[in-house]
Amino acid sequence: MSISIPRGTQDILPGEVEKWQLIENKARELCQRYQYHEIRTPIFEHTELFLRGVGDTTDIVQKEMYTFIDKGDRSLTLRPEGTASTVRAFVEKKLFGLPSQPVKLFYMGPMFRYERPQAGRFRQFVQFGVEALGSDDPAIDAEVISLAMNLYKEVGLERLKLVINSLGDKESRNAHREALVNHFRPRIGEFCSDCQGRLEKNPLRILDCKKDRDHELMKMAPSIIDYLNEYSRNYFEKLQYYLGLLDIPFEVDPNLVRGLDYYNHTAFEIMSDAEGFGAITTLCGGGRYNGLTEEIGGPETPGIGFALSIERMLAAIEAEGVQLGVAQGIDCFLVALGDAAKDYTVGLLQQLRNAGLSAERDYLNRKVKAQFKAADRLNAKYVAVLGDEELSNNKITVKKMETGDQVEIGLDSFVSYLLEGQK
Ligand code: HAM
């Protein structure tokens, strides 16, 4: 029996991987413009980090973690997201002491969640995320949102919807929490067991329940917006003002509750409203997490960030029919006739490659016609033909495939001829 790929994971093969590279390059380049710097953290962490960081009432912690005991009897977990690890590194490596503040970081890499696989939902997926630590200026909330929006725009997506909400500060959230508990408690028996468990621990998450979303109490639930204190309200208004300045359209959805425990003030999601996108339309999620750094043992530090998966971005690209400008083709294919010429192309190929050109030759001892076919398949800009006789005369024939023009040139000037053609 052959061995197959684990459920919810993907092989990304040549032909497809170029799209990933293009998106990854764009993300890196955008981070450079916005001055976010890359951080690479381990793929696994102590389980405790996610219990504290992501929150032990979340679906991620309760149902979705890949947790294992290692040979040293430690409980480790494959990271389900990047924020907790980034904040752990920020605390452990004392980045709060860096002269340049706020500390603006980005990451890109695989995350793992034991979810039910379906379109847009994988067990291993790649998140690109940014985290800005050390500022509670709503302008940085707007910056983080604009970075995500710009990445989508720069790959050519248009059918985007930005939804924002404020979850307020501690005082606002406590007042709202109490109102929610009072609202749901008398009829909590009519809700699913998950919601019953959430009532005392995290009543906000009841609003996020998929099973009970049509219950009449859901629609009448107290809205956080009505419980924001003055600071929180002003903060939220300032964010909206800045988004306006940046020409970023948005909707306020008081029911937007993110699935992780660490959020306060700003919460946002970017969705695709492209037809045929499928059930899961959230492309990107993020928000503010003041308090998380203290939770992980560091000094009081405000923070905000987002994460998006490349998988969902590619699904949106497909749904909108966007053509990514993926570079194709090679600079030159060497066709050789005769044994001496074949041997000679081994070194010649190396010369081309050392000069920075992409080049290929035949390795299957093919006839000339088949070699030309191979060159065609690789979409070669030039095909250079070398026979034993030409070799003895120090000559090579170069054909520019686009025009069909053919010239015979000296072997000594071959590399510079091709380089000239690059200009
Ligand atoms: P999240 O909402 O759990 O937030 O995930 C963010 C994004 O990761 C989602 O919007 C989606 O694009 C992608 N994603 C999540 N699960 C899957 C999956 N199973 N398959 C494919 N894509 C998936 C976080 O992870 C937070 N750490 C975001 C954040 C950063 N908040 C502040 N800073």
Side-chain angles (χ1 to χ4, degrees), residues 341-383:
K342 272 183 189 150
D343 289 349
Y344 189 83
T345 56
V346 172
L348 193 56
L349 193 64
Q350 185 75 346
Q351 280 182 42
L352 295 179
R353 290 171 175 170
N354 287 349
L357 297 165
S358 53
E360 191 53 290
R361 82 189 267 281
D362 171 58
Y363 287 108
L364 296 176
N365 226 347
R366 279 180 280 214
K367 300 248 161 37
V368 175
K369 211 169 149 195
Q371 291 190 44
F372 265 97
K373 257 202 185 136
D376 246 10
R377 263 196 299 273
L378 292 175
N379 211 351
K381 221 194 273 174
Y382 292 95
V383 176

Side-chain angles (χ1 to χ4, degrees), residues 5 9 37 44 47 57 61 70 79 86 148 159 167 190-191 197 223 252 258 272 283 291 311 342 349 353 383:
I5 193 170
T9 66
H37 306 285
F44 55 84
T47 303
T57 64
V61 168
D70 78 356
R79 60 183 187 189
T86 304
R159 306 286 301 268
L167 304 176
E190 298 166 27
F191 286 76
S223 164
V252 174
R258 306 263 308 120
S272 167
L283 298 177
E311 288 81 355
K342 272 183 189 150
L349 193 64
R353 290 171 175 170
V383 176

Side-chain angles (χ1 to χ4, degrees), residues 60 80-83 107 113 115 120-123 125 127 130-131 152 258 260 262-263 269 282-289 304-309 311-312:
I60 293 183
E81 57 104 54
T83 310
Y107 48 85
R113 296 186 193 177
E115 296 197 80
R121 181 163 283 161
F122 296 88
R123 289 187 174 165
F125 55 97
Q127 270 190 350
V130 312
E131 313 291 350
Y152 289 124
R258 306 263 308 120
L260 299 93
Y262 45 60
Y263 292 113
E269 286 187 351
T282 303
L283 298 177
C284 168
R288 186 158 272 287
Y289 47 83
I304 173 144
F306 72 74
L308 59 86
S309 71
E311 288 81 355
R312 289 201 192 160

Side-chain angles (χ1 to χ4, degrees), residues 269-282:
E269 286 187 351
I270 301 171
M271 334 262 201
S272 167
D273 61 6
E275 281 126 44
F277 185 65
I280 302 171
T281 54
T282 303

